[in-house]
Amino acid sequence: MRVAIAGAGAVGRSIAGELLENGHEVLLIDKAPTAISVERVPQAEWLLADACEITSLDEAALQRCNVVIAATGDDKVNLVVSLLAKTEYGVPRVVARVNNPKNEWLFNEAWGVDVAVSTPRLMSALVEEAVSVGDLVRLLRFSHGDANLVELTLPPESALAGTQVGDVEWPEDTSLVTIIRGTRVLTPSQEDSLEAGDELLFVAAPAREEQLEDLLSVRREDG
């Protein structure tokens, strides 16, 4: 898979390193000469250019990329790169970094963004995920398709504890994608039973989140 990353700062280089380790082809683009540190990620391709310019993206052959990541420290730049990648070059997957949470509402399909990653929101969500049981935590927003990746730890008193996945009437527009049980990561089947303490990851439409939380947190009737 070929991936272009706009922004060769610490974030861009870190992403590049991870992708290269996983066997992908990576191009780093930055307009600042000081950011071009080939020795830090020698396996990557490097391009000194302004990723907001069509001529630069032509040189980068963006149409050959499977994924573009807009990872600069400037939200305006990330939005422009995302829009150009999607509309001018038809890149299938565009991921954009959100630096200021106040701008998060802009990072959507209208700007060519498939997945928006807000570091402050993600860090906050991870803190919530670590300390909350029974509360739904939004981890990631998928702009394309209007869906979120959400997590809920099944509380011991939940009526669904001990119930098979296939026997649960899940809300529409939700999909259980993973069960994390202790150190195990399970791909749920219809026969798998839910257990108290399971971390359940769903892809869900925002309008269904409250319904999903109510379903999972409902208490057993005593006696």
Side-chain angles (χ1 to χ4, degrees), residues 164-178:
Q164 289 188 333
V165 171
D167 292 335
V168 180
E169 292 187 17
W170 302 107
E172 293 182 5
D173 303 321
T174 67
S175 177
L176 175 62
V177 292
T178 303

Side-chain angles (χ1 to χ4, degrees), residues 22-167:
N22 291 326
H24 301 296
E25 181 183 348
V26 176
L27 168 65
L28 280 160
I29 308 169
D30 205 296
K31 67 178 182 179
T34 54
I36 305 299
S37 305
V38 178
E39 69 282 355
R40 294 191 178 185
V41 193
Q43 305 96 327
E45 297 177 50
W46 289 79
L47 178 62
L48 176 61
D50 186 345
C52 292
E53 297 287 342
I54 289 287
T55 53
S56 300
L57 300 181
D58 284 343
E59 186 179 353
L62 223 64
Q63 70 278 0
R64 291 177 43 226
C65 292
N66 307 98
V67 180
V68 164
I69 302 173
T72 79
D74 188 323
D75 285 344
K76 295 188 294 295
V77 171
N78 291 342
L79 286 170
V80 171
V81 170
S82 298
L83 185 63
L84 291 175
K86 185 65 72 176
T87 60
E88 298 295 325
Y89 298 92
V91 176
R93 192 72 165 168
V94 178
V95 179
R97 172 188 177 188
V98 184
N99 296 279
N100 186 340
K102 291 181 180 179
N103 297 329
E104 190 172 4
W105 66 277
L106 287 166
F107 286 73
N108 55 33
E109 187 177 3
W111 279 94
V113 178
D114 295 307
V115 180
V117 181
S118 170
T119 302
R121 179 179 290 278
L122 183 57
M123 292 179 70
S124 173
L126 291 173
V127 170
E128 290 182 49
E129 185 271 335
V131 299
S132 358
V133 174
D135 294 326
L136 186 142
V137 178
R138 187 178 298 122
L139 298 176
L140 193 64
R141 177 172 61 85
F142 299 98
S143 302
H144 188 70
D146 192 26
N148 296 321
L149 178 65
V150 300
E151 183 271 350
L152 186 141
T153 300
L154 197 67
E157 66 275 13
S158 172
L160 293 187
T163 304
Q164 289 188 333
V165 171
D167 292 335

